[in-house]
Amino acid sequence: MEIKKKKFYITTTLPYVNDEPHIGFAMEIIKADVIARYHEAQGDEVIFNTGTDEHGLKIYRKALEQGKDPQEYVDEYAAKFDELKSLLNLSYTHFIRTSDPEHKKAAQEFWRICAAHDDIYKKSYRVKYCVGCELEKTDSELTDSRCLIHPNLELELIAEENYFFRFSKYQQPLLDFYETHPDFVMPSFRFNEIKRFVSDGLQDFSISRLKAKMPWGVPVPDDPEQVMYVWFDALINYISTLGWPEDARDEFKNFWPGTQIAGKDNLRQQSAMWQAMLMSAGLSPSKQILIQGFITVDGQKMSKSLGNVIAPKTLVETYGIDPVRYYLLREIPSGEDGDFSIKKLEERYNGDLANGLGNLVARVVTLGEKVSPVPLQQNEEMMKEIERVRALAQQYIESFRLNEALGVIWELIGYGDRHINDTKPWAIKDDTATLQNIIAGASALIDAIRELIEPFLPETAEKIKEQISIEGDMIKIKRGNMLFPRLQEKI
């Protein structure tokens, strides 16, 4: 009898294609990749979505500045983001672009449904607008008349007739939904933040722009003078990528609702605006929203003017894929802000990877190759430690505490080092059975570590498997290249 797999769907936000990929989005998509790989290892059928957000005023102006057609401009940048799949060893299954014809059709159908439910209306208005955020701003969100996220940009005043979404109508439905779904937003302090925002009252928001002023957008159904506001259009990607509304692939029916990961600047859009839109369209709200913080660089905000924007490609070319993945996952707490520095990355590389995991594997395979293959044997004390770590790591991953999951896995690496130091296999000369017993235990421990790190460091896990492989009741050991050459030897 075939066992029916559970369905799991996770999606990142779609990065805005007005610039090169940076480590902020790299961190987001790597975290999503870990969660996707974890669920796949549990036997779930996984859809992992990412893509590019390609409409709006900021992109339209960037294209004009470079003398390019907007479609040409977004094609160029979308390719740069899709390159992250190989650059960061990502496992995503879907890559959606909001300029795709099928997405545009889905956005228009979504609009029609909301309009049929009397949740879209037209009015004239005047508002302060941050082009950097592509969001309207109230005075309470400004400091010295500047956006907190983009203080270098002048706010613009928009005065025109646009369509609005009845966000205010969904205040109580949202609060009721939050009440019955206590883990909907993680971490919990971000959930408290959005609950306060909704409790304070919701203002209807504009969902269109005049085509004469901003032609680069999805056309509003039955109104050739208006295009959709970029946020309304972009959020729909989470279901259009699954084939909604046609769903010929049955993906929407089988995989929605899904889990979404986003930065803290997306908290309002993902956990309130998008959920109200789904309610309006008669669709299930998202399953869960995972919110991460921002990355600073040596204590300063990343910005072009400071010249401290870090490109993931540069890091990978210098240190390798898994060291970059490890640093961003271990050093930056899930859900909170964190700081990036080359110094800390190199400390983590040499300390945790080269001297920690790499050294443990090297010690065992160097000795183990001489007596390979060895019979698989169970060490009861070691198995208890493995199960303790496995249970904690699973708990941390499922509660979006990925840095803590890695921390506890590294406790197992420390345990392995102590086991080797205590048993001193290098000192055993004429007792092959005892040496094989020690190597068998250490190899089984490393195999468990390999399994635990696979979602985080898939390339490293594969390299370990090539050196230590369990086949039936035997362990085969073959020494390979060092997993993490120390930096002074590598650069």
Side-chain angles (χ1 to χ4, degrees):
M1 179 178 172
E2 184 179 353
I3 299 174
K4 191 173 182 180
K5 290 185 176 182
K6 293 180 181 178
K7 312 291 186 184
F8 181 78
Y9 172 43
I10 187 166
T11 178
T12 68
T13 55
L14 299 193
Y16 210 47
V17 290
N18 65 315
D19 214 334
E20 304 273 349
H22 58 70
I23 57 168
F25 179 67
M27 180 175 70
E28 177 178 323
I29 200 168
I30 289 169
K31 287 179 178 178
D33 186 64
V34 170
I35 295 168
R37 288 178 183 273
Y38 167 77
H39 278 273
E40 190 171 14
Q42 301 300 305
D44 297 345
E45 186 177 350
V46 174
I47 287 180
F48 173 13
N49 177 62
T50 189
T52 44
D53 181 0
E54 301 182 5
H55 293 124
L57 187 59
K58 188 160 49 174
I59 286 173
Y60 179 64
R61 288 179 176 174
K62 281 281 190 178
L64 292 182
E65 284 175 16
Q66 297 184 20
K68 296 178 180 177
D69 176 80
Q71 187 65 57
E72 177 191 0
Y73 176 87
V74 297
D75 286 348
E76 177 185 332
Y77 276 89
K80 295 177 187 290
F81 280 91
D82 202 13
E83 288 171 0
L84 291 178
K85 186 167 193 177
S86 59
L87 181 73
L88 299 173
N89 194 8
L90 303 171
S91 62
Y92 59 78
T93 58
H94 291 47
F95 189 91
I96 182 77
R97 297 179 56 187
T98 58
S99 65
D100 289 342
E102 293 307 311
H103 171 77
K104 292 178 183 179
K105 289 179 186 177
Q108 289 175 323
E109 180 61 19
F110 196 99
W111 179 290
R112 291 188 185 99
I113 295 171
C114 294
H117 293 159
D118 195 31
D119 285 337
I120 294 177
Y121 64 94
K122 202 174 188 181
K123 76 168 185 177
S124 297
Y125 80 118
R126 182 181 177 88
V127 70
K128 294 174 182 176
Y129 188 78
C130 174
V131 175
C133 294
E134 293 278 13
L135 281 175
E136 301 161 8
K137 297 290 179 177
T138 62
D139 289 339
S140 63
E141 297 174 295
L142 306 176
T143 299
D144 297 327
S145 299
R146 297 274 181 160
C147 169
L148 295 174
I149 300 173
H150 300 95
N152 58 318
L153 296 179
E154 292 279 354
L155 289 176
E156 300 189 11
L157 291 177
I158 293 179
E160 58 187 48
E161 187 178 41
N162 293 148
Y163 289 95
F164 278 70
F165 177 75
R166 294 190 194 277
F167 196 27
S168 56
K169 173 180 171 181
Y170 291 94
Q171 178 181 4
Q172 195 56 49
L174 283 169
L175 292 174
D176 291 344
F177 175 74
Y178 296 157
E179 182 67 25
T180 57
H181 295 77
D183 296 323
F184 178 61
V185 176
M186 298 181 71
S188 59
F189 71 92
R190 294 294 180 202
F191 199 12
N192 291 334
E193 186 179 329
I194 196 62
K195 286 189 282 189
R196 286 194 299 270
F197 169 76
V198 175
S199 296
D200 287 344
L202 300 177
Q203 301 295 317
D204 297 349
F205 59 87
S206 171
I207 57 172
S208 75
R209 294 290 182 265
L210 281 174
K211 186 174 182 179
K213 293 182 180 179
M214 209 293 293
W216 183 240
V218 178
V220 167
D222 306 316
D223 190 340
E225 295 182 354
Q226 301 266 342
V227 296
M228 291 185 196
Y229 167 53
V230 61
W231 272 109
F232 189 89
D233 144 37
L235 290 166
I236 297 163
N237 92 86
Y238 304 131
I239 58 175
S240 68
T241 193
L242 299 177
W244 186 91
E246 300 299 329
D247 198 24
R249 308 187 299 259
D250 287 335
E251 287 184 350
F252 177 75
K253 178 179 68 178
N254 292 331
F255 285 89
W256 186 260
T259 298
Q260 297 168 214
I261 185 168
K264 67 178 184 180
D265 56 334
N266 265 250
L267 175 64
R268 183 193 311 180
Q269 296 91 313
Q270 308 298 328
S271 57
M273 292 167 61
W274 172 228
Q275 306 312 314
M277 289 165 57
L278 287 164
M279 290 175 181
S280 173
L283 301 175
S284 298
S286 304
K287 180 180 179 182
Q288 194 171 47
I289 311 293
L290 308 176
I291 299 294
Q292 63 170 4
F294 286 165
I295 295 183
T296 55
V297 177
D298 293 319
Q300 293 183 302
K301 181 181 176 181
M302 273 195 296
S303 74
K304 281 186 175 181
S305 61
L306 292 174
N308 65 350
V309 177
I310 306 292
K313 185 175 183 179
T314 303
L315 294 178
V316 169
E317 288 174 348
T318 305
Y319 300 101
I321 296 173
D322 278 2
V324 173
R325 287 176 63 108
Y326 178 78
Y327 176 81
L328 292 174
L329 291 164
R330 181 74 188 273
E331 187 70 24
I332 313 295
S334 296
E336 300 178 21
D337 293 344
D339 188 61
F340 175 91
S341 79
I342 293 296
K343 180 176 183 291
K344 286 187 285 188
L345 188 157
E346 293 185 347
E347 288 173 351
R348 285 287 187 188
Y349 182 108
N350 278 331
D352 295 0
L353 298 177
N355 297 340
L357 176 58
N359 186 55
L360 174 63
V361 173
R363 295 174 80 186
V364 173
V365 298
T366 299
L367 291 165
E369 188 177 44
K370 300 172 183 177
V371 292
S372 176
V374 298
L376 181 63
Q377 300 180 48
Q378 299 290 343
N379 180 312
E380 187 173 339
E381 178 192 338
M382 190 174 288
M383 291 304 298
K384 285 182 180 179
E385 181 64 9
I386 290 171
E387 289 308 311
R388 179 191 75 84
V389 168
R390 182 179 282 118
L392 277 175
Q394 180 173 332
Q395 175 186 327
Y396 290 143
I397 292 171
E398 293 181 354
S399 58
F400 192 48
R401 295 151 67 187
L402 304 183
N403 58 315
E404 294 181 62
L406 279 173
V408 76
I409 293 169
W410 251 250
E411 289 180 14
L412 199 57
I413 293 169
Y415 176 91
D417 270 328
R418 291 192 298 275
H419 173 75
I420 295 298
N421 291 338
D422 291 344
T423 54
K424 298 180 175 58
W426 61 86
I428 298 172
K429 303 299 182 185
D430 301 315
D431 189 346
T432 302
T434 298
L435 179 58
Q436 285 189 325
N437 183 52
I438 294 170
I439 294 299
S443 297
L445 179 75
I446 289 174
D447 189 64
I449 292 168
R450 174 201 60 78
E451 179 187 339
L452 289 167
I453 67 167
E454 195 280 333
F456 301 88
L457 311 177
E459 186 178 69
T460 301
E462 187 60 32
K463 289 178 180 178
I464 291 174
K465 193 172 184 178
E466 290 171 0
Q467 297 189 49
I468 298 176
S469 60
I470 298 178
E471 300 175 13
D473 59 356
M474 299 298 291
I475 304 173
K476 293 186 177 181
I477 302 167
K478 182 180 180 182
R479 183 166 45 171
N481 294 330
M482 292 180 65
L483 295 179
F484 302 101
R486 289 175 178 80
L487 289 179
Q488 63 267 26
E489 301 168 12
K490 182 173 185 290
I491 296 177

